[in-house]
Amino acid sequence: SMDIERERGITIKSQAVTIPYKAKDGNVYELNFVDTPGHVDFSYEVSRAIASCEGALLLIDAAQGVESQTLSNMYLALEQDLEIIPVVNKIDLPAADIPSVKYQIEHDLGLDAEEAILVSAKQGTGIDELFEAIVNRIPAPTPATSDKTKALIFDCHYDPYRGVIVHVRLFGGKIKPGQTVRFMSSGTDYKVDSVGIFKIKLEDKSELSCGDVGYIIAGIIG
């Protein structure tokens, strides 16, 4: 959503998006992605996103191989017991060295290189295989054991007209407009104005339920 991100193909600010995907088994799955900056300086943002997820796509540049932040982020994912899918991206580059990267996946990361998905996001190569791997290998959200509303805030952004827009993952219960929610870190209560999901732009919904990733707008100033 930022000009420099589109120009350089990099992630500067954490982004979330909800995508419907029709798999080869005929079912339509709702996939929630949180794209985080890979650099080690953003480890806090990455840790919050990882705590919201069931699995992680570990992106590895086919030309540069495994980097320090790759190891750092993998350990964060392992601490949360996430299903990890190694993804070798940019295989279209002239400098791509896939055998070397697979060797690094095996010996530096300790993952099975045969399970790595080879993709070129630029050309669309391997994207279908990646989505099928997500559906088949990453578990669905665990159903809530109670109706009590429970959510994790993993990010936020500010809108000059609507205040702080909170990015959440629901682990239990529901959140809908008119409901009062309490932020446990501050003990502050807010009345929810609207909720929804990220479809690049904000898309209002009648409610968010367990397993959903979306946003809450509640007139939060700061």
Side-chain angles (χ1 to χ4, degrees), residues 48-122:
R48 299 292 291 180
I50 284 176
S52 307
C53 299
E54 277 72 33
L57 304 180
L58 194 65
L59 290 179
I60 304 165
D61 191 306
Q64 297 183 20
V66 172
E67 300 177 87
S68 59
Q69 60 260 33
T70 311
L71 278 167
S72 174
N73 293 338
M74 186 189 73
Y75 288 137
L76 289 173
L78 288 173
E79 287 174 3
Q80 292 291 329
D81 198 27
L82 300 189
E83 178 67 31
I84 299 175
I85 300 178
V87 181
V88 182
N89 190 25
K90 302 183 182 179
I91 61 172
D92 58 290
L93 292 179
D97 188 349
I98 296 172
S100 175
V101 172
K102 283 190 171 184
Y103 178 86
Q104 293 174 39
I105 290 172
E106 290 270 3
H107 292 81
D108 296 343
L109 303 181
L111 302 176
D112 187 354
E114 295 305 312
E115 293 188 351
I117 311 297
L118 307 181
V119 306
S120 167
K122 186 176 183 178

Side-chain angles (χ1 to χ4, degrees), residues 118-161:
L118 307 181
V119 306
S120 167
K122 186 176 183 178
Q123 296 182 344
T125 307
I127 302 303
D128 289 339
E129 291 79 2
L130 177 57
F131 272 81
E132 287 297 316
I134 292 169
V135 168
N136 293 318
R137 290 159 57 178
I138 293 180
T142 304
T145 55
S146 73
D147 293 332
K148 188 175 182 180
T149 299
K150 182 181 179 183
L152 172 69
I153 298 173
F154 64 86
D155 201 1
C156 66
H157 70 275
Y158 183 75
D159 185 287
Y161 301 102

